[in-house]
Amino acid sequence: LQQMLEDARGKKFEVLICYRLDRVSRNIADFSTLIEELQKHGIAFVSVREQFDTSTPMGRAMMFIASVFAQLERETIGERIRDNMHELAKTGRWLGGVPPLGFKAERISFIDEEHKERSLVKLNLVPEEMKIIELFYEKYLELGSIYKVRKYLVQNNIRSKKGAHFSSRVIAESLKSPAYVQANEEVAEHLKKKGIIVAGQDRSNGKRAILTYNKRNNKGIKNELEKWIGAIAKHEGVISPEKWLQVQERLAKNAMRLPRVGTSEVALLSGILRCAKCGSAMNVTYGRKRKDGSCNHYYTCNMKVISGQEHCQNPNANGIDIDHTVISKITELATSNKSTEVLLGELEALRQEKKHLEKVDILDELQKKKERLLGEIKNLVGEVSKSATASKYILPQIEAKDREVNDLDEEIQKLEQKKEKQNKQAENFSLVVNNILNFSSAIEDLENKEKKFFLQTIIDTVFWDGETGVVSIVLLTDTTPGKKNLSSNVSQFYPAPCWPGNQNNTAGSFNKPLVLVKI
């Protein structure tokens, strides 16, 4: 379609012919825009099936009326599909996607009332995983918070089937899901109060669970609970209704507690500071309050907080010291004549390279070659029409040239993607370099929250090694492998013997600048 519009603007054809109007568009606005575009360039529009005469007002009116019905048909089909999916959902079958933890999807066949063979997908229990689900519920009622449940799982080395630690999100979703409950009237009433009506309650035997559908719209955005669909499932639950309802009550109470005051006003590195020993994020913790109400803040490895020193022994970082160190080092990088010379030199080299790419554009040469081949194909096609005898000699030539055109198209696409990537890298590099150079003059006038945001436009990650006292700053600038880049130049000013947490890799093997500072 886009190629056709481009040809229309170049007036490469006089008439657009379609078999039926809805083959062009089923959206009134799009169709109207298309017709206006064609008329602007003096191109006629012909629909073989409807036979509109677009030269008359009545013909144009009938054409737009037909497009209204085409859009209506499209929307009706969409509604019909959605309604059908909703009706299937109400039967309690699994409609696809990744099964919840503790289940696997299995297709089964059956004979319907009309003695026809049908199939559906249902969820079957995975006993090993379901034991973990039961543990989630048991420990949540015992410990009282998702955080403590996760801490218990880490300390006891209880992991997912892929060997990873369970996240708080997975635990929370498992506790909220009615897919595990042996549903009864009380469970259905609880969901109804939240706005979820449960269908198929006549199939409930006090053991079957409930599946929920339509939780997100077609754009992936979460729907309101009133739009969710609940249905008695084909599989049986494992959590008693009493225990499930107790968990829901506890979750609701915890959600009503006032949220913790944010740390962004104090801790400048929260969100970008990671442990050099295990790679986990480092959380902000606070010391004792002074008489004036102030207190020191520290950064502690998240894995250490959850599981203690068994999993990570990295000492805590003093918040004021490490925040000040990072700011000082970025300021030094911005104000040092040698560093500034390197940064500006790299930026100028990148700009010159971009200009060179724009001047010597291989894409233009490939496009011209493609157009030449298409012209040759057109001429050969003309020769075929003149002589049937010559076709057996000419057709192989046409096929060979057509293959060349396809190869050119692939090469053109790869080059366009490469060019777009280089442009993006140049823009990102320019932004980060300019922010570094302006850092020292701007940082003093900013509030803590603004300082944090400014740092995040320059720094990708900061690693803390408490044993050596080394802070490793990874800048955001992306560089191209195989050429002299900012990473190697910065390493000359701040020697980087190894990558944090990995003694086998040198800083030079990474394509991001690494600055090491010892507190």
Side-chain angles (χ1 to χ4, degrees), residues 51-69:
Q51 296 184 345
F52 296 120
D53 182 2
T54 56
S55 64
T56 66
M58 183 59 72
R60 287 193 292 274
M62 290 302 295
M63 179 175 64
F64 283 110
I65 289 169
S67 73
V68 170
F69 282 105

Side-chain angles (χ1 to χ4, degrees), residues 287-296 320:
R288 290 182 180 179
K289 279 190 177 181
R290 302 187 184 92
K291 290 181 179 180
D292 60 359
S294 64
C295 61
N296 288 337
I320 294 174

Side-chain angles (χ1 to χ4, degrees), residues 372-386:
R372 190 181 70 250
L373 282 169
L374 290 173
E376 290 173 5
I377 290 171
K378 186 177 179 182
N379 292 335
L380 288 169
V381 170
E383 291 298 320
V384 169
S385 64
K386 292 176 186 177

Side-chain angles (χ1 to χ4, degrees), residues 410-424:
E410 286 183 15
E411 198 173 345
I412 287 168
Q413 187 178 3
K414 286 178 183 176
L415 282 170
E416 284 176 341
Q417 289 173 351
K418 185 180 178 182
K419 190 174 180 181
E420 186 180 347
K421 186 179 179 181
Q422 285 176 332
N423 287 337
K424 193 173 181 181

Side-chain angles (χ1 to χ4, degrees), residues 356-371 407-423:
H356 177 70
L357 285 171
E358 288 170 355
K359 285 179 182 177
V360 186
D361 201 339
I362 306 170
L363 277 172
D364 286 343
E365 294 176 14
L366 293 177
Q367 291 285 7
K368 287 173 184 176
K369 188 177 179 181
K370 179 184 170 183
E371 287 173 13
D407 291 342
L408 281 171
D409 281 336
E410 286 183 15
E411 198 173 345
I412 287 168
Q413 187 178 3
K414 286 178 183 176
L415 282 170
E416 284 176 341
Q417 289 173 351
K418 185 180 178 182
K419 190 174 180 181
E420 186 180 347
K421 186 179 179 181
Q422 285 176 332
N423 287 337

